[in-house]
Amino acid sequence: MKTRYSFGGDEHVFVECDEEMSLDAFFKGMSITTALKEAKIPGVTEICPANASFLVRFDPDVIAPDDMMRELKALEAAADVGSSVLDTRIIEVPVLYNDPWTHETLMRFRERHQDPGSTDIEYTARINDLDGVDGFVKAHSGAPWFVSMVGFVAGLPFLYQMVDRARQIQSPKYLRPRTDTPRLTVGHGGCFGCIYSVRGAGGYQMFGITPMPIFDPAQEVPYLRDFMCLFTPGDIVKFTPIDRAEYDHTLAEVEAGRWMPRIAPVTFSLADFKKDMDGTNAKVMEALNGR
């Protein structure tokens, strides 16, 4: 798809890199928004990257809308997406799959689900031809996920599974949204995973819960004192299954202010990933072993 540019009122330009999410579309958006940030164009006030698009806010009294559009198109022409290399980090997220809190919630809203007779994991495992709950957990936690955007609510990451399209977990949202979702629920809708940063309404399938805070507006959690949101676009997430005992222990350590997540720096090459997805994923996840 040719990049689509459009104005959003007098102060925004919306740029759609593709009609569907892919790592190519994500890297194209990242390349342009990174170049835009480095260009320090007068009048640009906000840059908001998304899954396969981005939004730029500008002051029309400083830079005219048509001039802003021309600047963005020039940055796109200069971007070398094919050789994209990203210096980023991998973050391990422990998950208690089939936890009692999301289970209680999904049972309360079963009449809004496609399959009221199954849990969300059972349903998703079946429609993806996975071997039950165990097969689902293996597929969900076996490969890393890209943070393609952060938003919807503060601190919530949208996650794109780093496997070929045939192996990507797909699952529709609820037929009607829930009015309740536990905080730190690990969910999924369409091709995207997410972690609910706060308690609230939602429509994604619910698979488990993490004891690891990802959003703290008070900035009291030790690893969130520099910034209230943990994730940024380009981060890589590794889900790790834990049992109830480890969940309870981790939660106690979090509440005592002693727990820190495992985070490691990594360099990700889009070209290398396309050549050898599983090998690249293994190398990326291996970085956590040194942390």
Side-chain angles (χ1 to χ4, degrees), residues 3 17 22-33 54 75-86 268-272 274:
T3 306
C17 300
S22 67
L23 288 181
D24 290 283
F26 168 78
F27 268 92
K28 185 174 185 177
M30 283 287 289
S31 296
I32 300 172
T33 54
F54 60 91
L75 290 173
E76 180 194 0
D80 184 7
V81 180
S83 61
S84 293
V85 175
L86 182 66
F268 178 84
S269 165
L270 180 59
D272 289 346
K274 288 181 176 180

Side-chain angles (χ1 to χ4, degrees), residues 154-156 183-184 197-198 213-217 221 224 228-230:
L156 183 151
R183 172 177 170 265
L184 299 177
S197 53
V198 297
I214 63 170
F215 173 63
D216 179 23
V221 175
L224 296 175
M228 66 181 69
C229 300
L230 175 62

Side-chain angles (χ1 to χ4, degrees), residues 84-116:
S84 293
V85 175
L86 182 66
D87 289 322
T88 184
R89 56 185 184 160
I90 183 169
I91 303 171
E92 183 179 49
V93 176
V95 181
L96 176 61
Y97 290 93
N98 261 341
D99 66 281
W101 306 283
T102 60
H103 181 79
E104 185 276 331
T105 303
L106 67 87
M107 294 307 293
R108 275 194 284 129
F109 292 96
R110 220 66 211 136
E111 80 284 356
R112 305 186 184 201
H113 196 272
Q114 291 85 351
D115 184 3

Side-chain angles (χ1 to χ4, degrees), residues 29-49:
M30 283 287 289
S31 296
I32 300 172
T33 54
T34 298
L36 176 60
K37 183 178 179 181
E38 294 173 350
K40 300 185 185 301
I41 298 170
V44 174
T45 57
E46 289 184 78
I47 305 168
C48 182

Side-chain angles (χ1 to χ4, degrees), residues 16-264:
E16 189 177 7
C17 300
D18 205 337
E19 291 181 344
E20 64 179 21
M21 172 60 189
S22 67
L23 288 181
D24 290 283
F26 168 78
F27 268 92
K28 185 174 185 177
M30 283 287 289
S31 296
I32 300 172
T33 54
T34 298
L36 176 60
K37 183 178 179 181
E38 294 173 350
K40 300 185 185 301
I41 298 170
V44 174
T45 57
E46 289 184 78
I47 305 168
C48 182
N51 299 315
S53 62
F54 60 91
L55 185 72
V56 178
R57 185 180 184 187
F58 61 94
D59 183 346
D61 291 330
V62 177
I63 181 170
D66 287 341
D67 292 337
M68 185 73 254
M69 186 82 80
R70 277 192 290 270
E71 292 281 5
L72 289 172
K73 290 182 177 179
L75 290 173
E76 180 194 0
D80 184 7
V81 180
S83 61
S84 293
V85 175
L86 182 66
D87 289 322
T88 184
R89 56 185 184 160
I90 183 169
I91 303 171
E92 183 179 49
V93 176
V95 181
L96 176 61
Y97 290 93
N98 261 341
D99 66 281
W101 306 283
T102 60
H103 181 79
E104 185 276 331
T105 303
L106 67 87
M107 294 307 293
R108 275 194 284 129
F109 292 96
R110 220 66 211 136
E111 80 284 356
R112 305 186 184 201
H113 196 272
Q114 291 85 351
D115 184 3
S118 299
T119 65
D120 291 5
I121 286 187
E122 291 169 341
Y123 167 72
T124 303
R126 187 175 68 253
I127 66 173
N128 285 273
D129 295 321
L130 298 171
D131 186 15
V133 172
D134 290 343
F136 170 84
V137 172
K138 183 178 179 180
H140 190 266
S141 62
W145 300 65
F146 247 109
V147 177
S148 54
M149 68 171 282
V150 178
F152 179 68
V153 295
L156 183 151
F158 283 77
L159 302 159
Y160 185 75
Q161 195 174 20
M162 296 166 59
V163 293
D164 58 271
R165 187 61 59 91
R167 289 186 289 165
Q168 285 182 343
I169 294 171
Q170 305 279 338
S171 195
K173 294 188 289 186
Y174 276 42
L175 297 175
R176 289 187 293 128
R178 300 177 302 274
T179 56
D180 188 25
T181 307
R183 172 177 170 265
L184 299 177
T185 290
V186 175
H188 197 95
C191 72
F192 288 108
C194 80
I195 305 171
Y196 284 79
S197 53
V198 297
R199 182 179 182 181
Y204 278 22
Q205 308 287 332
M206 296 182 290
F207 299 149
I209 202 163
T210 176
M212 169 183 172
I214 63 170
F215 173 63
D216 179 23
Q219 294 180 253
E220 296 174 347
V221 175
Y223 57 88
L224 296 175
R225 284 177 181 157
D226 291 336
F227 189 61
M228 66 181 69
C229 300
L230 175 62
F231 296 109
T232 59
D235 282 340
I236 297 174
V237 169
K238 168 65 175 75
F239 290 120
T240 297
I242 59 174
D243 59 20
R244 178 62 188 270
E246 187 171 356
Y247 174 90
D248 289 342
H249 172 74
T250 301
L251 187 61
E253 291 294 289
V254 167
E255 292 174 346
R258 294 189 294 263
W259 190 83
M260 296 291 286
R262 292 210 304 163
I263 302 175

